[in-house]
Amino acid sequence: MITQSLVPLRRAALALLLLAGAACASAAPRPTPAPPPSASSRRVIVLGFDGFARRYLDVDSAPALHAFARSGVTTTHGMIPSFPTVTFSNFYALATGLYPDHSGIVNNRFYDPAHDSMFVYKDPIAHESYWWLGEPIWATATKQGAPAATMFWVGSDAEIGGVRPARWHSYDHAVSFSARVDTLLAWLDLPAASRPRLLMGYFEEPDMQGHKHGPDGVETREAVLRVDSSLARLVRGLEARKIYDSVDIVIVADHGMTEISPERVVYLDDVVDSASVHVVNMTPNLMVGARDGDNDALLARLKKLPHVSVWKKNDVPARLHYGTSPRITPIVGVVDGGWMLGWRRGKAYGGRGEHGYDNAVPEMRALFLARGPDFRPGSTIAEFPNVDVYDLLARLLGITAAPNDGTLAPFVPVLR
Ligand code: AMP
Ligand code: ZN
Ligand code: ZN
């Protein structure tokens, strides 16, 4: 059942991975095969821009990103995030090639019955190894002799499968974007033996301004320019080192952003008593269970809500790849794009932008750009699921990918 919706050839491998996942935190690293000699000098930089909707590329003046896209690969309609379209689930899907159902990171906040504990993305508990299943690309690289370095990335604050990147920093939002870029550049100046071959950097914008001011807010436009300037700084640094054309750079976002309004709120208490439910996550994606265990009755009540889709976890549509993890609540729901869920007596949400919706909502489409010696300049690819990025990174590094939910197929036409 777990593998129903996966590429058939990968079923057996994934089943093994899932079995191994539970033991992953305590297992010693496996012996590391030597890297293929031809691959030993390939270098890949991955930049993650939080909440950079694909459409910002069309509406914004972002000179560095536009120049990058012109000389590299862009997408027609963007990259399809995984459901739920939230930060932790998606940056970790990008890193592992696993849907949140299989990666363990089923939301920004969720409950694990096996450990009787809550994962809360901004709390130190998120650094415990047992949450993080699968194998992030920095672990795959490290195990195969390619040193990795992360200047913040979801999951990189934790030891996963007994592995950490050779260099990493504890997440600290106060570190300026320029300092993050300069750290990446400084790592490229290390002596050859310790110089990382995989470098990853994370930036909170334009997500933060997108939440406050909406996807079309002036401040959100400025935040797009801020990350654009970060790319420009990186490019200048690479050009100064005469390596801009010899390193592959992949730029990704975790999800997009859509406008919300106080007029578009659906209230749960119109159909259920708040004391009768255990709500793990509220909006835009609902994770809930009945306190009395009668989830059929709860589902029947929730189905009366307008603008909301709700399912028993086993009945979530296959296209969402969601519902088998024990960390997912008995009932899963999602409100229509641009709507929010709330309690009537609850505090009104102050922001103007949100994500977390069904990944078919067009505004959730995420930025994907790539450029470098392995990519055909000026090429475009159709939309693809973000779990495919892990295989791409493995291919660029010349290493063997761990079993995962993705495929290299979307990139084959644009790879050299
Ligand atoms: P979201 O609430 O889904 O919009 O998540 C975005 C927020 O996630 C950002 O504003 C960051 O503060 C936070 N974040 C991103 N990476 C990390 C990390 N590695 N550790 C803790 N928080 C993070
Ligand atoms: Zn995000
Ligand atoms: Zn956000």
Side-chain angles (χ1 to χ4, degrees):
M1 193 169 62
I2 289 172
T3 53
Q4 232 167 19
S5 50
L6 301 174
V7 180
L9 280 176
R10 295 215 163 127
R11 282 184 185 182
L14 188 74
L16 280 175
L17 170 79
L18 291 169
L19 281 175
C24 178
S26 52
R30 278 180 265 151
T32 56
S38 61
S40 61
S41 61
R42 291 188 196 165
R43 233 164 280 284
V44 180
I45 301 176
V46 189
L47 302 181
F49 294 160
D50 202 315
F52 198 119
R54 165 63 182 85
R55 80 178 182 87
Y56 292 171
L57 208 56
D58 299 328
V59 299
D60 274 291
S61 140
L65 282 158
H66 288 154
F68 185 94
R70 275 195 303 276
S71 58
V73 179
T74 187
T75 55
T76 47
H77 298 101
M79 178 167 62
I80 307 167
S82 298
F83 178 80
T85 54
V86 296
T87 299
F88 267 54
S89 303
N90 277 282
F91 274 122
Y92 199 57
L94 287 158
T96 57
L98 295 175
Y99 288 112
D101 202 17
H102 302 149
S103 76
I105 307 302
V106 299
N107 213 322
N108 277 347
R109 291 169 51 86
F110 55 88
Y111 173 72
D112 184 333
H115 294 87
D116 187 21
S117 57
M118 274 293 293
F119 178 96
V120 180
Y121 69 132
K122 292 185 183 177
D123 280 6
I125 194 159
H127 304 159
E128 297 293 331
S129 300
Y130 61 81
W131 300 112
W132 307 89
L133 310 184
E135 186 175 280
I137 188 68
W138 56 83
T140 310
T142 305
K143 286 169 153 188
Q144 295 180 46
T150 51
M151 185 61 233
F152 308 153
W153 197 273
V154 165
S156 67
D157 311 62
E159 184 178 289
I160 302 176
V163 181
R164 281 187 188 274
R167 291 163 205 277
W168 63 280
H169 287 279
S170 268
Y171 176 68
D172 176 2
H173 67 93
V175 176
S176 72
F177 289 1
S178 309
R180 299 179 200 193
V181 170
D182 293 349
T183 300
L184 294 173
L185 289 167
W187 282 335
L188 289 168
D189 294 332
L190 287 167
S194 54
R195 196 178 311 152
R197 291 195 33 230
L198 169 67
L199 302 97
M200 301 175 77
Y202 164 82
F203 302 79
E204 296 85 353
E205 296 289 14
D207 180 76
M208 279 168 44
Q209 299 308 318
H211 279 294
K212 277 190 211 152
H213 305 285
D216 298 313
V218 175
E219 296 83 351
T220 310
R221 305 276 70 76
E222 286 166 4
V224 165
L225 265 180
R226 266 189 78 201
V227 293
D228 188 77
S229 306
S230 302
L231 173 63
R233 188 179 184 94
L234 178 73
V235 170
R236 279 197 306 274
L238 295 172
E239 281 173 344
R241 288 162 179 80
K242 300 195 174 16
I243 52 173
Y244 183 42
D245 290 325
S246 59
V247 3
D248 286 313
I249 304 176
V250 177
I251 303 178
V252 290
D254 47 348
H255 50 70
M257 185 68 69
T258 196
E259 184 92 31
I260 53 168
S261 150
E263 265 110 68
R264 290 193 298 270
V265 185
V266 177
Y267 294 102
L268 275 183
D269 29 4
D270 290 353
V271 295
V272 294
D273 175 358
S274 62
S276 70
V277 288
H278 179 63
V279 177
V280 172
N281 196 71
M282 181 73 154
T283 186
N285 62 87
L286 179 68
M287 295 180 89
V288 66
R291 288 200 188 274
D292 66 1
D294 191 352
N295 287 304
D296 289 322
L298 174 59
L299 183 72
R301 282 198 295 275
L302 291 171
K303 276 183 183 279
K304 291 183 190 148
L305 289 170
H307 301 291
V308 183
S309 305
V310 269
W311 311 277
K312 293 280 273 298
K313 69 183 281 189
N314 294 334
D315 299 329
V316 176
R319 66 181 179 80
L320 294 176
H321 301 275
Y322 198 72
T324 64
S325 167
R327 297 171 177 179
I328 297 174
T329 48
I331 293 178
V332 173
V334 68
V335 68
D336 290 350
W339 286 75
M340 292 288 273
L341 279 164
W343 296 113
R344 286 200 177 272
R345 55 169 171 70
K347 206 168 131 251
Y349 182 73
R352 295 193 57 187
E354 195 50 280
H355 55 86
Y357 299 96
D358 189 321
N359 59 1
V361 170
E363 291 83 0
M364 294 300 104
R365 287 288 184 276
L367 177 72
F368 173 90
L369 295 171
R371 182 196 186 278
D374 281 283
F375 295 101
R376 291 182 192 283
S379 46
T380 303
I381 46 177
E383 59 188 20
F384 59 90
N386 67 354
V387 292
D388 293 345
V389 169
Y390 169 86
D391 269 359
L392 172 66
L393 298 178
R395 154 72 167 72
L396 296 177
L397 288 161
I399 58 176
T400 306
N404 68 88
D405 294 332
T407 155
L408 190 64
F411 309 107
V412 170
V414 296
L415 282 168
R416 290 211 263 226

